Amino acid sequence: MNSASCIALDVGNCCIQVRTEECLRRIGVRSIEDVPPEFINACGKFECGMISASQWLAEFRRYTGGRFSDEKLLEAWIAIIGDEIDGMPEALKEITDSGCRVIFFSDTSDIHIKHTILKMTLSVYVSGGIYSYEVGERKPSAKMFEAFEKKYGIPLLYTDDKDENISAGLQRGWNAVKFESAKKILNEFRKIRKQMRSAACGELAESEVLKF
């Protein structure tokens, strides 16, 4: 399968800061280690579309002992969404200005991705997405990568903040680079574009030679 003219972009800690501690603070929990495995499992099921938002919210109420209204629980959950990563809006603008599409590739729930898209200024540069709650599994599951390839092809570049997801991408032949900064990703993209232009020039020169 040929590479498509798009990049695959994880959302959490690549586009926006993930503030799990802020969610926990709002419900009076000191650390993620204090959250029972049962609720962690329910959140995983929610991100895989295995339970509905109302079912997940019922688990959230049960875990917090009914001390908070549904509105407050949702506010706490959404508070996980932090600020945009520095430099990403500018990086994505350059990428899309070059004619390349930006596609989200994320483990997320429908609640989180909807509020993330509304909050981020960089969302204007994003033209699609593959999400775990739609696929039914989370990265590094092969189903996530297969879903992306089926809809968009193999991306020119894939970036993620988790080593296991980068490894899964590399095993499928993707050009996968761990996210460290917007500058690094933009430099990687520029390098790829330069290589593509050089290859195109070489093919053109060869075709001209063959005419003689």
Side-chain angles (χ1 to χ4, degrees):
M1 185 181 294
N2 294 327
S3 292
S5 186
C6 70
I7 69 166
L9 181 63
D10 185 32
V11 178
N13 292 322
C14 294
C15 293
I16 54 101
Q17 297 170 2
V18 176
R19 305 185 306 174
T20 305
E21 71 285 352
E22 178 59 20
C23 174
L24 297 178
R25 184 189 69 79
R26 293 188 181 211
I27 59 174
V29 177
R30 289 177 298 179
S31 72
I32 193 68
E33 285 75 23
D34 296 325
V35 179
E38 294 79 11
F39 183 63
I40 296 290
N41 185 49
C43 291
K45 288 182 177 180
F46 186 36
E47 285 196 346
C48 289
M50 298 170 65
I51 59 175
S52 67
S54 60
Q55 289 173 315
W56 166 81
L57 194 54
E59 291 297 323
F60 206 174
R61 283 196 304 269
R62 185 176 298 109
Y63 161 56
T64 52
R67 294 179 291 116
F68 303 94
S69 66
D70 287 357
E71 181 181 8
K72 290 297 182 183
L73 290 177
L74 286 172
E75 286 177 359
W77 187 246
I78 294 166
I80 291 175
I81 305 167
D83 296 330
E84 287 182 322
I85 301 295
D86 289 344
M88 283 304 289
E90 295 81 5
L92 298 191
K93 182 179 187 305
E94 179 174 328
I95 289 169
T96 54
D97 283 349
S98 75
C100 185
R101 301 175 68 192
V102 175
I103 309 297
F104 279 158
F105 187 44
S106 180
D107 294 336
T108 188
S109 65
D110 57 346
I111 291 175
H112 269 162
I113 196 60
K114 288 174 183 176
H115 283 85
T116 297
I117 289 172
L118 287 173
K119 181 174 183 176
M120 292 190 301
T121 62
L122 61 76
S123 295
V124 297
Y125 305 114
V126 179
S127 57
I130 296 294
Y131 306 115
S132 59
Y133 75 91
E134 294 177 331
V135 174
E137 293 189 19
R138 293 190 288 187
K139 295 175 289 184
S141 167
K143 286 188 176 180
M144 282 288 284
F145 291 87
E146 290 166 359
F148 193 102
E149 291 173 1
K150 182 177 180 180
K151 189 169 184 178
Y152 300 108
I154 295 177
L156 295 176
L157 176 65
Y158 163 47
T159 189
D160 198 296
D161 66 311
K162 295 182 178 179
D163 290 328
E164 60 268 29
N165 297 339
I166 293 299
S167 294
L170 291 171
Q171 289 172 9
R172 295 189 69 86
W174 289 24
N175 181 22
V177 177
K178 187 173 182 181
F179 186 88
E180 294 178 3
S181 68
K183 182 178 180 180
K184 178 180 178 180
I185 293 308
L186 189 53
N187 286 339
E188 288 289 338
F189 178 76
R190 288 169 176 167
K191 183 171 66 175
I192 292 168
R193 295 289 290 184
K194 184 177 180 180
Q195 291 170 346
M196 291 174 65
R197 285 194 295 268
S198 296
C201 288
E203 290 175 1
L204 179 61
E206 184 178 351
S207 66
E208 290 298 320
V209 169
L210 291 174
K211 290 180 181 179
F212 290 95

